Amino acid sequence: MRLMPIALFLPYLANTGGWFLAEFGRQPWLVYNLQTLEEGVSTVVPASSIVISLVGLVLIYTLLMIADIYLLAAGARKSPELLGAPEGKEGSLWT
Amino acid sequence: MDLNILWFILVGVLFIGFFFLEGFDYGVGMLTPFAGKTDGERRVVINSIGPFWDGNEVWLITAGGAVFAAFPHWYATLFSGFYLALFVILLALIARGVSFEFRSKVASPAWRKLWDWVICVSSFLPALLWGVAVSNFITGVPIDANMEYAGTFFTLLTPFTLLGGVVTFLLFLYHGAAFLSLKIGDEAILERVGRIGRVSGVVLVPVTVAWVVFAFLTTGLKSSPVALAAVAVAAVALVLSVVLAWTKHWGVSFIASAVTIAFVTVTVFAAMFPNVMISSLNPEWSLTIYNASSSPYTLKIMTIVALCLVPIVLIYQIMNFVIFKKRVTQDKLEY
């Protein structure tokens, strides 16, 4: 049982690992046997726009991850009785 | 009627559905901090769109998907050309989606206030930018001989397109106020949204007239009889809606504002037909429903699939509105 909290991270590891496998495994193809990564690069969107969007996405997802971890930790600390509380009290989804 | 025209109309219908439905929930989002003064009141305002907003957003995804599958060149040119503008909309929609959920998870007033303002700003940005985007649809943007966008982000921002942004911002704000007037059972909130609705309606009329006159003088609007007829219907519906808002007939007023949104969208689509992306450099370089479309075989399969699935989507969305038709109050938050 003491090992169980570690298992929390395993699905994320498996999920991320799967994506790494899919994305790196098919290099240099973007669409397997049809289009390479270099052929797929946009000729219209400037590199600066790509940088802006990449930084923007990394930022917003980092913020969301921090907020998520905070909320999950706060939720985990609550006693089980509170989670089943009647509506309007703590534990209700819409208050 | 060939399938290219059918799919152009269908994309238009999906955008009408999106602007009509998401229009009021952008409006409600923008109104959240102003319509509700206490935490409980704001919860009522948010819950009025609680069961609907994510379903409404699906119309945009469907519209985007339909453009991608039926007119891939339109999709490619649009999404590459409007890259940063669409990115800002995307960021706003990400922030908006989580703020509805995050808001209630912590009881601290500062936390809730933060997310209320995130809801407001992330509803305002797309409401404004959609007007900028559709205005660019009818003025045309620099597109070269290879169907590629040759401008920058700032090429999209002209006085006309920014005015279009103000039109959709005010229109959605007004539409949202009309929706709240029908969905809320709390007198203090009704009082506030009623006032905002009436005032924004009065401001909306001259701004819309200015945009239409501008469009008439500078775009292809005047040469399309369908667009002219549609803009006339939209104008009558808008004036009627505002008059009905002042006499507090919110039900009919809301229907009239929905008609306004629908026919403004028809105007935009009719004004650009048969083009889907007008080139401001050379009319011959414009993307049309023929040179930008998929193969006839693809369109045929898509038509069969759409005929089977769209009625089901319509049925469950209508069921959703019927099930959650009651007004929301602080005592009855969860239906």
Side-chain angles (χ1 to χ4, degrees):
Chain A
M1 282 302 273
R2 242 175 295 146
L3 288 176
M4 288 308 276
I6 301 170
L8 274 175
F9 301 98
L10 294 181
Y12 296 100
L13 265 178
N15 193 332
T16 313
W19 273 109
F20 269 74
L21 188 72
E23 296 295 322
F24 288 104
R26 69 184 146 102
Q27 295 305 325
W29 299 105
L30 196 59
V31 183
Y32 205 71
N33 281 344
L34 275 176
Q35 188 184 39
T36 64
L37 192 66
E38 286 191 2
E39 288 165 350
V41 173
S42 172
T43 50
V44 180
V45 181
S48 59
S49 296
I50 305 285
V51 172
I52 292 170
S53 61
L54 188 64
V55 171
L57 284 175
V58 168
L59 267 179
I60 194 164
Y61 276 106
T62 308
L63 286 174
L64 290 182
M65 190 175 72
I66 294 168
D68 259 334
I69 292 173
Y70 168 69
L71 288 173
L72 285 171
R77 261 185 237 110
K78 278 181 197 161
S79 63
E81 299 89 71
L82 275 178
L83 289 173
E87 59 184 62
K89 300 288 181 305
E90 215 160 347
S92 173
L93 203 59
W94 294 110
T95 52
Chain B
M1 179 164 62
D2 61 29
L3 290 178
N4 298 61
I5 298 178
L6 178 74
W7 274 93
F8 180 78
I9 293 173
L10 201 60
V11 169
V13 169
L14 290 168
F15 269 102
I16 290 173
F18 171 66
F19 288 138
F20 157 52
L21 294 165
E22 191 83 341
F24 68 70
D25 78 51
Y26 285 153
V28 172
M30 291 188 274
L31 285 167
T32 300
F34 306 103
K37 289 297 167 199
T38 65
D39 181 55
E41 286 181 353
R42 288 181 179 180
R43 187 69 254 174
V44 169
V45 172
I46 294 170
N47 276 25
S48 72
I49 53 165
F52 310 124
W53 70 269
D54 37 7
N56 296 348
E57 219 161 64
V58 169
W59 285 76
L60 171 65
I61 299 166
T62 320
V67 170
F68 172 70
F71 303 103
H73 289 293
W74 181 7
Y75 184 88
T77 307
L78 177 66
F79 278 68
S80 303
F82 291 18
Y83 188 85
L84 279 183
L86 290 170
F87 176 67
V88 174
I89 291 181
L90 179 67
L91 279 188
L93 293 183
I94 293 173
R96 188 169 186 267
V98 297
S99 49
F100 289 128
E101 301 294 328
F102 277 2
R103 181 191 186 279
S104 314
K105 298 285 186 279
V106 178
S108 115
W111 172 271
R112 297 202 163 173
K113 211 172 164 194
L114 167 75
W115 292 109
D116 289 339
W117 282 101
V118 173
I119 292 172
C120 178
V121 174
S122 64
S123 302
F124 164 73
L125 279 175
L128 183 85
L129 286 171
W130 281 119
V132 175
V134 297
S135 301
N136 274 300
F137 282 177
I138 56 172
T139 50
V141 289
I143 290 171
D144 66 18
N146 301 315
M147 294 185 167
E148 279 171 2
Y149 180 72
T152 67
F153 173 66
F154 296 101
T155 317
L156 302 174
L157 306 176
T158 65
F160 173 69
T161 60
L162 288 172
L163 185 63
V166 178
V167 170
T168 49
F169 153 64
L170 285 170
L171 187 55
F172 293 163
L173 186 75
Y174 173 73
H175 193 47
F179 177 80
L180 282 176
S181 299
L182 295 172
K183 279 300 287 179
I184 282 180
D186 187 308
E187 285 306 322
I189 308 175
L190 281 176
E191 181 68 33
R192 272 179 230 128
V193 294
R195 199 165 48 222
I196 297 171
R198 289 188 294 275
V199 173
S200 62
V202 169
V203 183
L204 174 61
V205 174
V207 176
T208 310
V209 169
W211 183 81
V212 170
V213 170
F214 214 146
F216 186 83
L217 294 176
T218 60
T219 73
L221 182 72
K222 57 185 166 297
S223 47
S224 162
V226 180
L228 289 174
V231 86
V233 175
V236 172
L238 178 60
V239 172
L240 199 64
S241 174
V242 175
V243 170
L244 288 162
W246 279 86
T247 56
K248 302 198 175 163
H249 294 90
W250 286 109
V252 204
S253 173
F254 176 73
I255 293 170
S257 75
V259 171
T260 309
I261 291 178
F263 277 84
V264 167
T265 316
V266 173
T267 306
V268 168
F269 273 75
M272 64 179 182
F273 182 84
N275 302 302
V276 289
M277 290 288 280
I278 298 169
S279 172
S280 56
L281 301 177
N282 182 341
E284 287 180 10
W285 296 342
S286 293
L287 278 69
T288 71
I289 59 168
Y290 296 104
N291 72 13
S293 82
S294 297
S295 67
Y297 180 63
T298 307
L299 291 179
K300 197 175 146 194
I301 294 179
M302 285 175 61
T303 307
I304 296 166
V305 173
L307 285 178
C308 297
L309 294 180
V310 171
I312 300 176
V313 176
L314 282 177
I315 289 169
Y316 75 62
Q317 289 227 340
I318 291 168
M319 272 175 68
N320 191 22
F321 279 95
V322 174
I323 292 169
F324 295 106
K325 65 170 188 258
K326 288 217 180 74
R327 284 177 184 264
V328 188
T329 63
Q330 295 199 41
D331 310 324
K332 269 200 66 139
L333 270 175
E334 305 194 23
Y335 297 91

